[in-house]
Structures are given as structure tokens and as C-alpha cells.
Amino acid sequence: MNTKLYVDNLAAVTTERDLRDWFFPHGNVAEVNVPTDGTTGRSRGFGFVTMATPEGARLAIEALNGKSIGSCTLTVSEAWPHEQRLASSRRG
């Protein structure tokens, strides 16, 4: 079962390949998505990594949450389900 992770505090130059390379040592990576700014094409500062197993996700969080990469300190956590994000944005 896949586990989707949210990765925050990415440098503007971070690519999907970068994320895949950082997460792959901790388990199989099923999917990577780094949203980009439509004008500049640079990272918007966050991304999503879907790990193929919950164990890989747990290992990746333990290894990468709080890790400094360049001048940025990553925040890695399990992503909220889409429905929960929508409900939260409607309240606020």
C-alpha cells in the first residue's frame, strides 16, 4: 500500500529527480511531484513523494525530517488525505 509524504521547505531549484534521489535509499519511490510556479518554473517550496510501502515512508521520515540540504532544513511528514485538506481549507 502506497504512503504519500509531504515535503516542505524545498529550495526553489529542487527538482523531482532531486526528491527521488533523496528518498530512494529508504524504500521504493512510486511517485514524485514538485509543484512549480507557472511564471518562473521553479519549485513552490514543497512537494509530494509517494513511497511504495508504509515501512519505506516511515524510514524516509526518520531519515529526512529535519535534515539540512543546502541552506534548507526539510520537513517531511505523512500527507493529509485530499478530503481532509479540502475540509480544513473550507473552515479557515
Side-chain angles (χ1 to χ4, degrees), residues 6-82:
Y6 172 73
V7 186
D8 198 12
N9 203 27
L10 298 175
V13 296
T14 303
T15 66
E16 290 181 356
R17 178 176 288 272
D18 293 332
L19 275 186
R20 186 174 299 278
D21 290 347
W22 299 338
F23 280 77
F24 181 75
H26 310 291
N28 289 334
V29 176
E31 184 178 4
V32 177
N33 182 351
V34 177
T36 56
D37 179 274
T39 304
T40 65
R42 298 178 118 197
S43 164
R44 292 177 54 200
F46 67 93
F48 297 94
V49 176
T50 303
M51 300 298 289
T53 65
E55 178 67 10
R58 184 186 63 76
L59 291 171
I61 291 170
E62 289 175 3
L64 298 172
N65 185 45
K67 181 177 174 87
S68 292
I69 297 184
S71 63
C72 299
T73 301
L74 299 182
T75 301
V76 182
S77 62
E78 195 164 338
W80 290 5
H82 184 69

